[in-house]
Amino acid sequence: MALGWRSRLKRQSGIGAPPAVPSDLGPVLYEAEGQYVVTTTAGDWLDRVAVHGMGIRSNAVATVHPEGVLLARVGAPDVFIPRDDLESVRLEGGMAGKFVEKDGLVVLTWRLLDKRVDTGFRTRHAAHKPQLLAAAAALAPGTTPPQDFQGRDSQ
């Protein structure tokens, strides 16, 4: 298993690191606790991106800001998805190593330099999933926010 992981890291050495978190993200538009699931090649839910710590599942807090989406992870590097790189947001039932009920994961499709990737996040509370989806979708040009989104929801 370790040999396979090392091979994957070597194969993916050309994939650039996620952008650094900007010093000013603006106000928090929405926040949800949950789990960062994984980042995969866009459209291939089994092709896990292992480099830059992106293949490590961890507890996280997802915050949506005017500048993008921040996944602040516990014990792993944070993942920041700039608004300009965010392509779409949708719900899925699973991806590489994590399968849940239908539409149980919020999946963000974005451009990591020249590579399109999908990043999965599972909210801790099911009631927060549609709000996170809607807040992130409002930033993505390829996604229409759900009609019932009411804006910021305090936890």
Side-chain angles (χ1 to χ4, degrees):
M1 203 155 117
L3 186 58
W5 192 255
R6 268 191 305 229
S7 267
R8 179 176 294 274
L9 289 171
K10 187 175 180 180
R11 254 190 343 269
Q12 295 177 346
S13 64
I15 297 175
V21 179
S23 58
D24 183 19
L25 288 171
V28 174
L29 303 175
Y30 190 76
E31 177 177 296
E33 292 181 2
Q35 183 180 63
Y36 167 89
V37 175
V38 71
T39 296
T40 64
T41 298
D44 186 350
W45 52 271
L46 289 176
D47 187 23
R48 183 186 307 252
V49 174
V51 293
H52 312 297
M54 296 179 77
I56 301 169
R57 184 179 310 152
S58 56
N59 289 329
V61 174
T63 53
V64 179
H65 304 265
E67 295 300 314
V69 179
L70 174 62
L71 303 171
R73 303 193 300 160
V74 176
D78 294 344
V79 175
F80 176 66
I81 303 170
R83 178 184 197 143
D84 291 343
D85 294 337
L86 185 61
E87 293 182 356
S88 65
V89 184
R90 67 185 183 284
L91 297 176
E92 292 287 343
M95 54 194 315
K98 181 74 169 182
F99 293 90
V100 295
E101 75 280 0
K102 181 179 188 246
D103 297 337
L105 298 178
V106 175
V107 177
L108 304 111
T109 299
W110 57 291
R111 290 179 312 279
L112 176 58
L113 300 175
D114 61 347
K115 185 170 185 69
R116 289 182 70 242
V117 295
D118 289 332
T119 296
F121 186 83
R122 177 155 172 87
T123 58
R124 177 160 295 144
H125 305 286
H128 296 164
K129 182 176 47 179
Q131 296 296 318
L132 177 60
L133 174 73
L139 301 180
T143 309
T144 304
Q147 295 292 334
D148 60 351
F149 178 57
Q150 303 297 319
R152 185 183 169 118
D153 180 48
S154 60
Q155 296 184 36

